[in-house]
Amino acid sequence: MSEKILSVKGLKTHFYTYGGVVKALDGVDLDIHENEVVGIVGESGCGKSTLGLSILRLIESPGRIVDGKLLFENGDILKYTDKKLRKARGGKIAMIFQDPKASLNPVLTIGDQIAEAISLHQSTTKKESLKKTNEILREVGIPDTEKRAKEYPFEFSGGMRQRAMIALALSMQPKLLIADEPTTNLDVTTQAQILVLMKELQKKFKTSILLITHDLGVVAQLCEKVIVMYAGKVVESGTVHDILLNPKHPYLQGLLKSMPNPLTKMDRLQIIQGTVPTLINPIPGCRFSDRCEFVMEKCKEKVPEFTKISKDHKVSCYLYEENGGKK
């Protein structure tokens, strides 16, 4: 087993609103190892993006990390000084956001933005930074790099802006890359190209990736391990094979049944009945209990512990707790 580079333990991130306390993350645990691609999946509002922002301590008011540990390089990110945190952001942990157009500075050229980041974290000369900028732009497949480096974000297409964001994130060769829905706003062809590019660069630079997505097709292409979230909690985790071919939690089973499958003939896609519960004073017990067809009385009283299905596969569900991992 490769070395563990990030360990999230009992992470709780809450948002203090006029309507009450929104428990966006309510005790999340996960581990990421060297050179590993881990996917976080779930519906919109389940806490995926909040998790990515929490790891980099980018939660803004009225949000606050109220409990937990973020263990990275023999230290807790939650205890980092401002100076150490600035050094870690970008240099050791980088993030690709959902919308590259909103993330790139519109008044600086693409090349200047990447060169500035390299100079900041690697203390290089301007000439060295520009050279490295052109090299990383070539790595991400941007042609005529010296010319394109002098252009502004609005002069790039959506796919090219995403490539520039990947170049910016990888220019410091971080140990961990957090990619938040990196292909959401792209057409299918460009999306496929970006996924192939990320996989190639991940192998080349040996960077671990935490991929945040709602698209299980993207997970199948890129990930080795998958974490399934629902309403601020992890409900199942395992290898991509475990999650896609041997799903256990009723929520994950419902997600997979709601996706088109070219191998089976269905007149209509199945749906998960009900709605996602509010995260202000959430329901006790399993948060999926009011939508679950297998619900039992105890499901509404206490959150089930994780049951180990196989070596890397575990699920938080009473259906398996009493039967040694079997339904």
Side-chain angles (χ1 to χ4, degrees), residues 171-199:
S171 59
M172 282 74 69
Q173 297 186 22
K175 288 191 173 182
L176 174 64
L177 175 64
I178 302 172
D180 187 2
E181 303 276 9
T183 60
T184 294
N185 299 316
L186 305 176
D187 61 73
V188 176
T189 302
T190 306
Q191 174 178 301
Q193 292 171 349
I194 293 297
L195 291 176
V196 170
L197 173 65
M198 288 182 65
K199 191 66 176 177

Side-chain angles (χ1 to χ4, degrees), residues 76-305:
D76 188 347
I77 295 174
L78 296 181
K79 296 180 180 179
Y80 278 13
T81 62
D82 289 344
K83 182 179 180 180
K84 189 173 182 180
L85 184 60
R86 284 194 300 270
K87 188 176 181 180
R89 287 176 181 161
K92 296 182 179 180
I93 305 176
M95 189 164 185
I96 301 173
F97 295 93
Q98 290 187 34
D99 184 2
K101 190 175 182 179
S103 303
L104 292 165
N105 191 328
V107 300
L108 290 178
T109 66
I110 295 293
D112 283 344
Q113 293 184 59
I114 297 174
E116 181 182 22
I118 293 172
S119 298
L120 180 65
H121 291 282
Q122 298 184 12
S123 301
T124 58
T125 65
K126 185 177 181 179
K127 185 177 180 179
E128 290 171 335
S129 296
L130 290 173
K131 182 182 177 182
K132 288 187 175 183
T133 296
N134 288 328
E135 288 174 354
I136 194 66
L137 287 174
R138 277 193 290 270
E139 289 282 358
V140 299
I142 294 179
D144 199 4
T145 54
E146 292 188 6
K147 176 179 178 293
R148 300 309 299 267
K150 296 175 183 177
E151 294 179 345
Y152 293 86
F154 76 88
E155 297 179 276
F156 277 44
S157 66
M160 283 298 180
R161 278 195 293 268
Q162 195 59 282
R163 289 174 186 268
M165 278 297 299
I166 294 171
L168 181 60
L170 292 177
S171 59
M172 282 74 69
Q173 297 186 22
K175 288 191 173 182
L176 174 64
L177 175 64
I178 302 172
D180 187 2
E181 303 276 9
T183 60
T184 294
N185 299 316
L186 305 176
D187 61 73
V188 176
T189 302
T190 306
Q191 174 178 301
Q193 292 171 349
I194 293 297
L195 291 176
V196 170
L197 173 65
M198 288 182 65
K199 191 66 176 177
E200 290 174 348
L201 293 176
Q202 185 265 333
K203 289 180 178 178
K204 180 170 183 176
F205 292 108
K206 300 188 184 305
T207 298
S208 299
I209 297 178
L210 179 63
L211 177 68
I212 299 167
T213 183
H214 64 276
D215 191 335
L216 290 169
V218 171
V219 165
Q221 285 183 262
L222 204 61
C223 299
E224 299 154 24
K225 189 166 72 177
V226 186
I227 309 291
V228 183
M229 290 187 66
Y230 181 78
K233 286 185 173 290
V234 175
V235 296
E236 188 167 352
S237 65
T239 65
V240 67
H241 182 276
D242 293 330
I243 296 301
L244 297 182
L245 298 181
N246 190 28
K248 295 299 182 182
H249 199 280
Y251 170 62
L252 177 58
Q253 292 173 351
L255 274 185
L256 291 170
K257 288 176 182 177
S258 68
M259 294 175 60
N261 187 339
L263 300 180
T264 60
K265 185 178 180 180
M266 293 186 293
D267 294 328
R268 298 183 64 183
L269 294 176
Q270 296 187 39
I271 63 171
I272 302 175
Q273 299 294 335
T275 58
V276 179
T278 176
L279 296 182
I280 300 175
N281 297 320
I283 59 175
C286 175
R287 293 184 181 176
F288 189 66
S289 60
D290 60 347
R291 303 176 73 186
C292 182
E293 61 180 306
F294 306 107
V295 64
M296 297 176 278
E297 195 59 38
K298 60 183 175 180
C299 298
K300 301 178 181 180
E301 299 170 354
K302 183 182 177 182
V303 178
E305 299 292 331

Side-chain angles (χ1 to χ4, degrees), residues 10-17 20-27 50-51 53-55 57-68 70 78:
L11 185 63
K12 295 183 179 182
T13 300
H14 297 172
F15 290 83
Y16 296 82
T17 70
V21 180
V22 179
K23 297 180 179 180
L25 296 178
D26 199 15
T50 300
L51 174 60
L53 293 172
S54 296
I55 291 171
R57 279 176 53 186
L58 289 173
I59 299 296
E60 297 183 347
S61 180
R64 190 166 76 240
I65 299 172
V66 299
D67 198 10
L70 296 170
L78 296 181

